[in-house]
Amino acid sequence: MKILRKLAIGAAGGACLLALSAASLWELDRAFPPPLPAELTVSTEVQDRDGELLRAFATPDGYWRLETRLDQVDKQFVDMLVTYEDKRFWDHEGVDVLALARAAGQFATSGHIVSGGSTLSMQLARLIEPRESRSLGSKVKQMLRAIQIERRLSKREILERYLTLAPYGGNLEGVRAASLAYFGKEPKRLTVSESALLVALPQLPEKRRPDRNLKIGHAARDRVLTRMVSSGLLGEREAARAALDDVAGLRRTLPALAPHAAYAMLPKAVPGQPLQLTIRKSVQEGLEQVARDAATKLGPRLSVAMVLADSRTGDILGEVGSANFFDASRSGWIDMTKIVRSPGSTLKPFIYGLAFEQGLVAQETLIDDSPVDFSGYRPKNFDMGYQGDVSIRQALQLSLNVPAIRVLDAVGPTRLMARFRQAGVSPILPVNEAPGLAIGLGGVGVTLRDLVQLYTGLANGGKTHTLHDGTEPANAERTSATILDGQANWQIIDILSGVKPPEGALQRGIAYKTGTSYGYRDAWSVGFDGRYVLGVWVGRPDAGAVPGLSGYVSAAPILFEGFVRSGLATVPLPGKPPGMFSPRREDLPVTLARFGAGSDGLVQATVTEPAPTIIFPPDGARVDLGTNSVDASPLVLKLQGGRAPFRWLANGKPLIGIDRRRTATWQPDGAGYSTLTVIDAAGRAASVKVFVE
């Protein structure tokens, strides 16, 4: 009985001691937790629309440390890492007793360290709390920290932190930074040979880094492959093939795409969260290469800027602010996509578009290209020559200056500027100056992004979208607006699609326009297919003159090459809208046969009557004609003023005959919006837009 009592007392004492020890360890664990921040200090990443890395910025302490998740890493690499470093990782609680016993036995028999007993959890403990020495006390502390870590993190979280913090030589930390630096790719697509090298590097990163010690790194990789065969993870043939792969003896720079946009994103950075642009990495890579190659050919001090946007959404898929961000001779740090410059002739399509809207011209309307004086303003053509009579189509395709100013004088510079502002673009005029005829030839300031935004309307049936790339404030307004009606818009597309490509360029099924600013300071080219718009600017950032610089010679070849290198499939241009009438020259009504011969751009006549005004239907009216029934009624048209005879047009298509009466009838083809125009004998026009039901 006494023995039993002693045993009971001893057991109780032991239990109390054990409980006290456990409580003490619990309190010690709470009092001295491992330094496990909720978020690691990692490089700020700027990603593309699909989550691919465009650019990373080093951490404040100068390291390339990219946050790594397991789904970002090749599974075979993870299996090789666990097999090589800690084969019982998924089973132990932070310390592998069997591995420690094996390491101790090997040390006792050989007198030196043969293999380590550190688990991945212990290695993570060393990474987050570097040891001051390799003493036994440091090892014990590392083991205790590993146990603490296992209590706080899941196995997956431990692996992810290790893969983010493991050293790979120099200022590279983490497997993503190492894979990008040594192989030029993300670790999701590692080969067996590459995986083996990345498994070997963290043990002796400076000694084994291949860019400095290629032979040592090669041998370390081979030892990993041999271990994988003995562990059964790799077959002998697979390992032998991997051993034949060369180990690249260089360190690449990490991706540094879209530098201007990436730097603009930094104020929005939140620790641990990547920043995202609307850019597509493959498009950006292609455009940047085109810009670099083009600048090299163009010569010193010249730069290239490019913007490629999706006209249906306004998303910028690629933007190049300069030919080389780090080239001081080209002022590469300046983002030329946002600098205000003279657009040259690139605004001419919108001048003619307004004329088509108002029924003032048809494609085959003749217009005089000869010297003219607009109250002291005497526009001249780029080549200082004149063509005489040309069609509107030829005038725009050849980018003749005098015809464009004649048409602008008729449609009105103020109306053109109002249409630009309606589309979300506000061109910059000289201080205290009202819109004048000079804006048609570049006498106004716009940015490359402005220009591409305007052209998204041409590519998108006349409807523009505000461009955005992700750098804008979260509350930035994104709008859409109509810059040209659908039928006028198609007329411009049809004309620009017939412009001859630059010499040596492949026909890509795009429509485009070029421009050259006064003094040969800026060369422009803007083109589009049925969806994508690409704008190109070439010039000197300091606005210096460049003799011989022109849109067609300097910028257009870059435009066509940019479309090719973007990798985007060409989207066909839209077909002719239903009901569109494109008459031959001989079929034009007299009021559309010739645009006029006077400085005001209209047919000259001595008239005392007021200009014509359509009084019915009123502009913007909705008219129910029963178009869905077999007994649909015609629409009665009435006007006041003007000089007879009158020519009526519906959606650009002339109604049969010329009438001296001030009333007419029109039978619409179906429901929807229509534009009705009347032109009098003096060439003056009035238009209304109605919705027929």
Side-chain angles (χ1 to χ4, degrees), residues 613-633:
T613 302
I614 299 174
I615 60 172
F616 189 85
D619 189 35
R622 299 179 72 93
V623 184
D624 187 359
L625 300 178
T627 53
N628 293 326
S629 68
V630 294
D631 298 320
S633 303

Short mmCIF file of all heavy atoms in Angstrom, two decimals, residues 613-633:
data_model
loop_
_atom_site.label_atom_id
_atom_site.label_comp_id
_atom_site.label_asym_id
_atom_site.label_seq_id
_atom_site.Cartn_x
_atom_site.Cartn_y
_atom_site.Cartn_z
N THR A 613 -34.36 76.64 -93.16
CA THR A 613 -34.57 76.05 -91.83
C THR A 613 -35.66 75.00 -91.93
O THR A 613 -36.75 75.28 -92.46
CB THR A 613 -34.99 77.12 -90.81
OG1 THR A 613 -34.00 78.14 -90.75
CG2 THR A 613 -35.18 76.49 -89.43
N ILE A 614 -35.40 73.81 -91.45
CA ILE A 614 -36.41 72.76 -91.44
C ILE A 614 -37.31 72.99 -90.22
O ILE A 614 -36.85 72.96 -89.08
CB ILE A 614 -35.77 71.36 -91.38
CG1 ILE A 614 -34.89 71.13 -92.62
CG2 ILE A 614 -36.84 70.27 -91.27
CD1 ILE A 614 -34.09 69.83 -92.58
N ILE A 615 -38.58 73.25 -90.50
CA ILE A 615 -39.51 73.51 -89.39
C ILE A 615 -40.30 72.27 -88.99
O ILE A 615 -40.88 72.22 -87.91
CB ILE A 615 -40.46 74.68 -89.74
CG1 ILE A 615 -41.29 74.33 -90.98
CG2 ILE A 615 -39.69 75.96 -89.93
CD1 ILE A 615 -42.38 75.35 -91.27
N PHE A 616 -40.36 71.27 -89.89
CA PHE A 616 -40.97 70.00 -89.52
C PHE A 616 -40.33 68.90 -90.35
O PHE A 616 -40.18 69.03 -91.56
CB PHE A 616 -42.48 70.00 -89.77
CG PHE A 616 -43.14 68.75 -89.18
CD1 PHE A 616 -43.54 68.72 -87.85
CD2 PHE A 616 -43.33 67.61 -89.95
CE1 PHE A 616 -44.11 67.58 -87.31
CE2 PHE A 616 -43.89 66.47 -89.41
CZ PHE A 616 -44.29 66.47 -88.08
N PRO A 617 -39.93 67.82 -89.65
CA PRO A 617 -40.04 67.59 -88.21
C PRO A 617 -38.96 68.37 -87.45
O PRO A 617 -37.89 68.63 -87.99
CB PRO A 617 -39.80 66.09 -88.08
CG PRO A 617 -38.90 65.76 -89.24
CD PRO A 617 -39.34 66.65 -90.35
N PRO A 618 -39.23 68.74 -86.20
CA PRO A 618 -38.22 69.44 -85.42
C PRO A 618 -37.07 68.51 -85.05
O PRO A 618 -37.22 67.29 -85.01
CB PRO A 618 -38.98 69.89 -84.17
CG PRO A 618 -40.13 68.95 -84.06
CD PRO A 618 -40.51 68.58 -85.47
N ASP A 619 -35.92 69.10 -84.81
CA ASP A 619 -34.73 68.32 -84.48
C ASP A 619 -34.96 67.53 -83.19
O ASP A 619 -35.44 68.07 -82.18
CB ASP A 619 -33.52 69.26 -84.30
CG ASP A 619 -32.22 68.48 -84.18
OD1 ASP A 619 -32.08 67.43 -84.82
OD2 ASP A 619 -31.34 68.95 -83.43
N GLY A 620 -34.63 66.24 -83.22
CA GLY A 620 -34.76 65.37 -82.05
C GLY A 620 -36.14 64.78 -81.85
O GLY A 620 -36.38 64.09 -80.85
N ALA A 621 -37.05 65.03 -82.79
CA ALA A 621 -38.43 64.55 -82.63
C ALA A 621 -38.51 63.03 -82.80
O ALA A 621 -37.71 62.42 -83.51
CB ALA A 621 -39.34 65.23 -83.64
N ARG A 622 -39.50 62.42 -82.15
CA ARG A 622 -39.86 61.01 -82.35
C ARG A 622 -41.17 61.00 -83.11
O ARG A 622 -42.18 61.56 -82.65
CB ARG A 622 -40.01 60.27 -81.02
CG ARG A 622 -38.73 60.24 -80.20
CD ARG A 622 -38.95 59.51 -78.88
NE ARG A 622 -39.10 58.07 -79.08
CZ ARG A 622 -38.12 57.18 -79.02
NH1 ARG A 622 -36.88 57.60 -78.77
NH2 ARG A 622 -38.34 55.90 -79.21
N VAL A 623 -41.18 60.40 -84.28
CA VAL A 623 -42.34 60.43 -85.17
C VAL A 623 -42.86 59.02 -85.37
O VAL A 623 -42.11 58.13 -85.80
CB VAL A 623 -41.98 61.06 -86.54
CG1 VAL A 623 -43.23 61.17 -87.40
CG2 VAL A 623 -41.34 62.42 -86.34
N ASP A 624 -44.15 58.80 -85.08
CA ASP A 624 -44.76 57.48 -85.23
C ASP A 624 -45.42 57.41 -86.60
O ASP A 624 -46.46 58.01 -86.85
CB ASP A 624 -45.78 57.24 -84.12
CG ASP A 624 -46.31 55.81 -84.14
OD1 ASP A 624 -45.90 55.02 -85.02
OD2 ASP A 624 -47.15 55.48 -83.27
N LEU A 625 -44.79 56.65 -87.52
CA LEU A 625 -45.32 56.49 -88.87
C LEU A 625 -45.87 55.08 -89.08
O LEU A 625 -46.25 54.73 -90.20
CB LEU A 625 -44.24 56.77 -89.91
CG LEU A 625 -43.62 58.18 -89.88
CD1 LEU A 625 -42.53 58.29 -90.93
CD2 LEU A 625 -44.69 59.24 -90.13
N GLY A 626 -45.89 54.27 -88.03
CA GLY A 626 -46.36 52.90 -88.18
C GLY A 626 -45.47 52.08 -89.08
O GLY A 626 -45.94 51.32 -89.94
N THR A 627 -44.15 52.21 -88.91
CA THR A 627 -43.21 51.54 -89.82
C THR A 627 -43.28 50.03 -89.73
O THR A 627 -42.81 49.33 -90.63
CB THR A 627 -41.78 52.00 -89.50
OG1 THR A 627 -41.51 51.80 -88.11
CG2 THR A 627 -41.59 53.46 -89.84
N ASN A 628 -43.86 49.51 -88.65
CA ASN A 628 -43.95 48.05 -88.50
C ASN A 628 -45.19 47.47 -89.19
O ASN A 628 -45.41 46.27 -89.16
CB ASN A 628 -43.97 47.66 -87.02
CG ASN A 628 -42.64 47.97 -86.35
OD1 ASN A 628 -41.59 47.85 -86.99
ND2 ASN A 628 -42.69 48.37 -85.09
N SER A 629 -46.00 48.32 -89.78
CA SER A 629 -47.22 47.84 -90.46
C SER A 629 -47.07 48.02 -91.96
O SER A 629 -46.20 48.74 -92.45
CB SER A 629 -48.44 48.61 -89.95
OG SER A 629 -48.38 49.97 -90.36
N VAL A 630 -47.96 47.37 -92.69
CA VAL A 630 -47.92 47.46 -94.16
C VAL A 630 -48.42 48.82 -94.65
O VAL A 630 -48.19 49.20 -95.80
CB VAL A 630 -48.76 46.33 -94.80
CG1 VAL A 630 -48.14 44.98 -94.50
CG2 VAL A 630 -50.21 46.38 -94.29
N ASP A 631 -49.11 49.54 -93.80
CA ASP A 631 -49.68 50.84 -94.19
C ASP A 631 -48.87 51.99 -93.61
O ASP A 631 -49.43 53.01 -93.19
CB ASP A 631 -51.14 50.93 -93.72
CG ASP A 631 -52.02 49.88 -94.37
OD1 ASP A 631 -51.83 49.62 -95.57
OD2 ASP A 631 -52.86 49.31 -93.66
N ALA A 632 -47.54 51.85 -93.58
CA ALA A 632 -46.69 52.90 -93.01
C ALA A 632 -46.88 54.20 -93.78
O ALA A 632 -46.94 54.22 -95.02
CB ALA A 632 -45.23 52.47 -93.06
N SER A 633 -46.97 55.29 -93.05
CA SER A 633 -47.21 56.60 -93.66
C SER A 633 -45.89 57.27 -94.02
O SER A 633 -44.88 57.09 -93.34
CB SER A 633 -47.98 57.50 -92.69
OG SER A 633 -49.18 56.89 -92.30
#
